[in-house]
Every structure is written in structure tokens, then in C-alpha cells.
Amino acid sequence: MSEQKLTATPGQTIGPFYGYALPFEKDNQLLPPGMPGSVRLQGTVTDGAGETIPDALLEIWQADADGNIPQRTGSLVRDGYTFTGWGRTAVDNVGNYTFTTVNPGPTEEGSAPFISFVIFARGLLNKLHTRMYLPDDEEALARDALLSSLPEDRRRTLIATREADGGLRWNICLQGEDETVFLTYPGA
């Protein structure tokens, strides 16, 4: 029997068709707004010229406040009580996004807490993966293997800023001088 080599199917431009079937009620609310411990995570998605992208779709995965990875079902039907660690939102017509979530805890002792992001947008042949780190523990950020592997100017593209109300702001730039660091995972 001879070994056959298969050719991968080429990527295709994704969207803009997100309004059909992908959004669902409360998709960006991992916790209800105003619930104790909830924080607002917001930002803007821009292209290489600094122009906002009005039709991107973002997904997040994260640990809970204690650093545990949720193993519960119910992401597509929000019940207002179950934290599943997953959310999805489309940006608005000026490229802004918002999630209501919790500050994730570190998944290992002394590690830097982060939220994993996947970005889909018009013109992308494949989805983009990245992380957003909480800005609060500078020692943990300095020890993080991913962050410490990056030059200082690139590292800052992965660290959110804390707003006066306790929320987080993290902007995503798809290209150019301030391009967010994107990650590659085997098989993704």
C-alpha cells in the first residue's frame, strides 16, 4: 500500500457575514453587567493604517477569578449564573468591542493572568490568535515565558490598561507599526 500525500485546502477570506447565526443573546456577557466581581473589557480593532474595522468578530476564552479553567456547558444560553469562560462579540460599526467578564486569576502559582482572543475579520484568510494580559502584577508579567520572549516594544501590545472604574482597555491592531503580537498554535 503506497502512502498518499494530501494537500491542505487553501484558506478563504472570512466574512463579512457574521450577522447570520453567529451572534446570540448576551454573547459578550460572561457575567451580567453590574454583578459583583464583573469588569468591562473593551477596545477597538484597527487595520494597519489605523482605520477601525467595522465587521470583526472576537471570541475570548479565560480562566475564572480563581484561575480555574471552566469545564461547564451553557456558553450559548446565558443563564446569568454559570461562568463558562467563553464569549463572542461582533465589533460595532466603528470597530469597538465590549465584554462583561471577570479578571481571570493565574492558572499556575505566580503566572500572569491572561485572556485568549481569536479574531475573525474580512480579508483574513485564517483566524488570528493572541492573548491579552492583565496589567496588575508586573513581577508575573516579567516572568511570563511568552512575554519575556518578545522585545519590549512588542510586549506592550499584549498588555491591557486598567481604567479608573476597574475595567480593562485593550486595542487590537491587525497590521502596521503597532501590530498586536499574534500567536501560532500547531493544528489551529
Side-chain angles (χ1 to χ4, degrees), residues 8-174:
T9 303
Q12 295 183 352
T13 300
I14 307 170
F17 50 80
Y18 304 127
Y20 175 74
L22 289 177
F24 58 94
E25 189 176 354
K26 300 178 184 176
D27 58 356
N28 66 339
Q29 295 178 17
L30 285 74
L31 289 179
M35 183 176 194
S38 68
V39 296
R40 181 177 181 192
L41 165 57
Q42 63 183 331
T44 304
V45 181
T46 57
D47 64 17
E51 299 294 321
T52 57
I53 296 176
D55 59 0
L57 183 79
L58 307 176
E59 291 184 355
I60 62 172
W61 287 270
Q62 69 171 88
D64 66 16
D66 297 322
N68 299 312
I69 305 295
Q71 303 289 319
R72 304 178 78 178
T73 60
S75 292
L76 298 179
V77 181
R78 303 287 192 204
D79 64 11
Y81 301 97
T82 305
F83 182 79
T84 62
W86 181 83
R88 173 190 293 151
T89 194
V91 299
D92 63 18
N93 62 357
V94 290
N96 297 314
Y97 71 89
T98 300
F99 288 99
T100 306
T101 188
V102 298
N103 290 312
T107 55
E108 296 176 3
E109 183 71 32
S111 67
F114 65 88
I115 297 174
S116 294
F117 271 74
V118 176
I119 299 109
F120 302 89
R122 163 182 30 183
L124 293 178
L125 296 181
N126 292 300
K127 64 190 181 291
L128 299 173
H129 295 265
T130 191
R131 286 181 175 181
M132 182 220 71
Y133 285 87
L134 273 61
D136 310 306
D137 187 343
E138 290 188 27
E139 288 181 21
L141 291 170
R143 284 191 307 266
D144 185 82
L146 173 62
L147 290 175
S148 59
S149 73
L150 300 170
E152 184 70 33
D153 63 325
R154 303 292 294 134
R155 190 175 310 152
R156 68 176 172 73
T157 70
L158 297 181
I159 302 172
T161 57
R162 185 69 67 185
E163 298 194 306
D165 66 359
L168 295 162
R169 174 163 294 280
W170 186 61
N171 297 323
I172 301 166
C173 183
L174 299 185

